[in-house]
């Protein structure tokens, strides 16, 4: 009998924020949990509470000095100038907040639990609190204090899943993950990300030593273009790699409504990527990542969970789920109110469009290089 997919969440995401001026002041994972429960999609049999990773587990990739600095920052609520300079803690991007260690350690614990579950027969696990793909061994980077995708791949390997395909559709390049696995033939890394956007890495010809496929995307990247990339680049590479497990980082900042990118996907495109990847490996780990519009990120990750777990998504959300979306806010600032469909549906209108000549040329260049 095929196992049911599992969801790993935690209440730490409901009670923590990076601060009132930070893009991660908005709720995200808690919204997915609330919508899932309102829709009957998180029965006890499918929900697991994420453990908090212990320092020794984090030190499988992060330096002991950095892990200790994170713990000290949480305990003291501040950092010295020396720690700020050395570990990039207490900066505008990576502020010290009340759960500065416990929140990322919970994300890391979630992916480690997921690896154990996948090794023991679970076919798929969703960890929306995971996906912090910028973290580096000895410092915070780009809102990411730990790198749970790297820790996930290492845990999957320890559990016997040697060949991993990591696909990242976040609007930002997965620089930390590439740092961890560049040149490793057992790990295929594929990243689609907006060109000219921080961290300004992942160039078209950057193959990371042979195992990395990077595709910078032009502004306005649409659903039609994502299907072209999926069919011409992502799926052939994953099929050729023959992975034991697929890790999909589904950062929701590539959606049209997100304030930190200029890409224009609908969440239908995300669902399409997930559906196409599912048959290509016996196990799949689905992570979160970026996403800074509270309505679009919560709806996207909830729709992905429904897709993974086989739940039918209604055309219009019931009242309890609509109330959850109507209660969200930007948490300050002068951003516009959400469009009506963000409050009463889970699935976006399709955002089709032309396949730009620029993107067509990049796909051709990449596929020619990969065939060589």
């Amino acid at each position: 009998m095929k196992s049911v997919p599992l969801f790993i969440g935690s209440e730490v995401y409901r009670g923590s924020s990076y601060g009132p001026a930070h893009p991660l002041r908005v709720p995200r994972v808690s919204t997915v949990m609330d919508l899932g429960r309102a829709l009957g999609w998180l029965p006890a049999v499918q929900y697991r509470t994420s453990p908090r990773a212990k320092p020794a587990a984090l030190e499988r990739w992060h330096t002991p000095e950095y892990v200790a600095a994170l713990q000290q920052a949480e305990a003291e609520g501040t950092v010295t100038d020396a720690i700020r300079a050395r570990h990039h803690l207490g900066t505008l991007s990576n502020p010290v907040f009340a759960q500065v260690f416990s929140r990322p350690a919970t994300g890391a614990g979630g992916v480690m639990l997921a690896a154990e579950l996948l090794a023991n027969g679970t076919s798929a696990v969703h960890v929306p609190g995971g996906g912090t793909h910028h973290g580096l061994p000895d410092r915070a980077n780009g809102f990411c204090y730990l790198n749970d995708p790297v820790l996930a791949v290492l845990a999957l390997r320890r559990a016997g899943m040697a060949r991993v395909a990591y696909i990242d559709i976040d609007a930002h390049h997965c620089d930390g993950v590439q740092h961890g696995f560049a040149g490793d033939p057992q790990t295929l890394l594929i990243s689609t990300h907006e060109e000219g956007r921080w961290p300004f890495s992942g160039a078209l010809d950057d193959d990371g030593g042979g195992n990395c496929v990077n595709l910078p995307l032009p502004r306005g990247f649409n659903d039609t273009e994502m299907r072209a990339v999926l069919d011409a680049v992502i799926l052939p590479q994953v099929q050729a790699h023959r992975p034991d497990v697929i890790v999909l980082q589904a950062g929701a900042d590539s959606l049209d409504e997100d304030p930190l990118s200029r890409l224009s996907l609908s969440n239908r495109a995300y669902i399409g990527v997930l559906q196409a990847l599912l048959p290509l490996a016996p196990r799949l780990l689905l992570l979160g990542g970026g996403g800074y519009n509270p309505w679009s990120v919560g709806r996207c990750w909830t729709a992905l969970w429904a897709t993974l777990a086989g739940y039918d998504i209604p055309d219009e959300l019931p009242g309890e789920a609509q109330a959850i979306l109507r209660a969200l806010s930007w948490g300050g600032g002068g951003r516009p109110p959400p469009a009506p469909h963000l409050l009463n549906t889970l699935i976006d209108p399709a955002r089709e469009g032309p396949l730009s000549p620029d993107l067509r040329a990049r796909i051709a260049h990449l596929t020619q290089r990969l065939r060589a």
Side-chain angles (χ1 to χ4, degrees):
M1 180 177 175
K2 187 177 180 181
S3 67
V4 296
L6 299 177
F7 182 106
I8 297 176
S10 171
E11 290 298 315
V12 73
Y13 300 104
R14 188 183 308 281
S16 64
S17 165
Y18 281 35
H22 197 282
L24 279 175
R25 66 186 178 272
V26 300
R28 306 184 321 153
V29 177
S30 58
T31 303
V32 181
M33 292 163 55
D34 291 345
L35 287 171
R37 288 178 176 134
L39 291 159
W41 296 346
L42 276 185
V45 70
Q46 287 185 278
Y47 183 84
R48 300 289 185 276
T49 297
S50 177
R52 184 187 303 175
K54 296 188 181 334
L58 301 175
E59 289 165 13
R60 289 169 181 150
W61 196 64
H62 293 282
T63 66
E65 295 80 11
Y66 176 55
V67 174
L70 267 179
Q71 292 178 286
Q72 185 175 359
E74 179 163 309
E76 298 181 358
T78 188
V79 293
T80 64
D81 290 342
I83 291 293
R84 183 179 299 108
R86 181 176 180 184
H87 298 301
H88 294 187
L89 296 173
T91 65
L92 287 175
S93 291
N94 312 304
V96 174
F97 63 101
Q99 298 82 15
V100 70
F101 172 76
S102 55
R103 174 167 161 160
T106 299
V111 301
M112 292 176 186
L113 173 59
E116 180 183 330
L117 293 167
L118 290 166
N120 290 328
T122 301
S123 60
V125 182
H126 185 22
V127 189
T132 55
H133 59 177
H134 298 305
L136 294 169
D138 62 348
R139 63 188 185 273
N141 188 38
F143 310 169
C144 302
Y145 297 87
L146 298 169
N147 197 310
D148 63 81
V150 169
L151 293 166
V153 173
L154 295 175
L156 291 165
R157 284 189 174 163
R158 286 194 306 276
M161 291 160 272
R163 296 186 66 79
V164 179
Y166 174 85
I167 296 91
D168 193 308
I169 58 174
D170 192 288
H172 302 82
H173 179 243
C174 52
D175 54 338
V177 184
Q178 182 163 324
H179 179 82
F181 296 109
D184 177 0
Q186 289 195 303
T187 306
L188 170 68
L189 300 183
I190 302 176
S191 177
T192 61
H193 45 271
E194 186 179 354
E195 66 177 343
R197 185 160 295 282
W198 189 94
F200 310 109
S201 53
L204 184 63
D205 287 322
D206 177 7
D207 70 355
N211 66 316
C212 300
V213 179
N214 284 301
L215 180 54
L217 304 170
R219 163 176 242 184
F221 181 67
N222 60 48
D223 291 5
T224 308
E225 292 174 317
M226 176 54 97
R227 277 197 303 277
V229 170
L230 183 65
D231 292 340
V233 178
I234 298 175
L235 298 182
Q237 290 301 305
V238 174
Q239 288 168 332
H241 189 65
R242 301 186 308 280
D244 299 314
V245 59
I246 291 171
V247 180
L248 174 60
Q249 198 270 21
D253 45 6
S254 296
L255 293 169
D256 182 73
E257 299 90 356
D258 198 89
L260 294 195
S261 86
R262 294 297 178 267
L263 304 180
S264 297
L265 293 181
S266 76
N267 59 24
R268 292 173 184 263
Y270 281 72
I271 290 170
V273 171
L274 176 60
Q275 289 175 326
L277 289 172
L278 276 169
L280 301 188
R283 308 169 190 87
L284 186 137
L285 172 58
L286 174 63
L287 305 177
Y292 309 97
N293 178 311
W295 296 276
S296 62
V297 64
R299 291 166 68 256
C300 182
W301 291 350
T302 305
L304 289 176
W305 166 242
T307 302
L308 193 68
Y311 291 108
D312 293 327
I313 299 174
D315 293 335
E316 184 169 340
L317 290 170
E320 185 181 352
Q322 289 193 35
I324 292 164
L325 292 171
R326 292 179 189 281
L328 297 176
S329 77
W330 287 106
R335 297 200 177 275
H341 77 272
L342 294 176
L343 300 176
N344 56 31
T345 67
L346 213 55
I347 300 297
D348 296 331
R351 292 178 183 133
E352 307 294 346
L355 176 56
S356 73
D358 190 12
L359 181 62
R360 191 189 303 272
R362 294 179 205 187
I363 293 173
H365 175 85
L366 198 52
T367 54
Q368 182 177 9
R369 192 195 82 206
L370 292 169
R371 283 196 298 264

